[in-house]
């Protein structure tokens, strides 16, 4: 699972930052052309788009790893009865699995199930990133509010001394 999860997550966060920066740049260009204020951050549906598009790119790029992982996990089930009796497996490791798939079924076999995975992952990523971005925005707003309250409290704490000095 780590052979799949680590590359997927590394690629996901790299792509996420690129897509987010690109969408934000496009939004700023559009705002400039309309003589509107440029947005500082993305909001709502923009974040859902960024998450969904990131999920799609990452899914397609890591689909061969997913196919190899699935084949390795299910190889005992798919082995013939004679092989099961000997406790042997169809593949000796991930590299053997990859080369066997390409040799026997072709490169296209590494992308079996891509469409179904695209649908599932893009919706999941869109939801995840939209909620994550909204949560980060909420936390930033709370932090800014606390700073304002702290500054106001400091000013109020000094206020009695100012009035007493008069």
């Amino acid at each position: 699972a780590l052979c799949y999860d680590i590359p997927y997550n590394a690629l996901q966060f790299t792509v996420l930052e690129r897509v987010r920066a690109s969408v934000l740049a496009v939004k700023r260009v559009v705002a400039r052309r309309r003589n509107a204020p440029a947005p500082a951050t993305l909001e709502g549906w923009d974040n859902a788009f960024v998450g969904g598009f990131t999920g799609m790119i990452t899914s397609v790029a890591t689909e061969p790893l997913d196919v190899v992982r699935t084949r390795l996990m299910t190889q005992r089930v798919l082995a013939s009865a004679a092989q099961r009796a000997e406790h042997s497996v169809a593949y000796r490791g991930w590299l053997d699995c990859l080369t066997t798939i390409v040799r026997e079924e072709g490169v296209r076999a590494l992308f079996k199930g891509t469409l179904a995975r695209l649908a599932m992952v893009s919706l999941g990523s869109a939801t995840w990133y939209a909620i994550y971005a909204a949560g980060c925005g909420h936390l930033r707003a709370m932090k800014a509010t606390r700073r304002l309250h702290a500054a106001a409290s400091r000013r109020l704490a000094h206020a009695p001394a100012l009035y007493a000095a008069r």
Side-chain angles (χ1 to χ4, degrees):
L2 289 178
C3 291
Y4 168 76
D5 289 337
I6 291 172
Y8 180 87
N9 288 324
L11 184 62
Q12 180 184 29
F13 286 109
T14 303
V15 171
L16 180 68
E17 285 304 310
R18 291 284 188 146
V19 172
R20 188 191 62 73
S22 297
V23 170
L24 188 57
V26 167
K27 299 263 311 166
R28 287 178 176 159
V29 167
V30 169
R32 205 173 314 128
R33 286 186 180 165
R34 293 180 178 170
N35 293 324
T41 60
L42 297 175
E43 300 292 328
W45 289 108
D46 296 329
N47 287 320
F49 171 78
V50 167
F53 194 65
T54 297
M56 292 170 83
I57 292 170
T58 308
S59 291
V60 170
T62 59
E63 183 65 23
L65 294 174
D66 192 45
V67 169
V68 169
R69 178 186 65 152
T70 303
R71 296 276 182 103
L72 286 170
M73 288 170 47
T74 60
Q75 67 182 336
R76 289 192 187 268
V77 174
L78 299 175
S80 68
Q83 288 176 325
R84 268 188 260 139
E86 298 170 11
H87 300 290
S88 65
V89 292
Y91 308 110
R92 293 186 303 272
W94 71 270
L95 190 58
D96 180 51
C97 182
L98 180 71
T99 55
T100 302
I101 292 170
V102 171
R103 183 177 59 248
E104 293 179 2
E105 301 174 52
V107 175
R108 291 180 65 184
L110 293 173
F111 293 92
K112 284 184 176 178
T114 301
L115 200 56
R117 187 161 174 248
L118 272 175
M120 181 183 70
V121 171
S122 63
L123 289 174
S125 291
T127 305
W128 164 76
Y129 189 66
I131 292 170
Y132 171 78
C136 286
H138 181 68
L139 290 174
R140 277 192 298 275
M142 284 176 51
K143 188 175 180 180
T145 302
R146 283 188 181 151
R147 271 193 237 128
L148 288 174
H149 286 297
S153 295
R154 282 191 301 271
R155 277 188 239 117
L156 288 175
H158 296 298
L162 292 174
Y163 289 118
R166 288 186 180 184

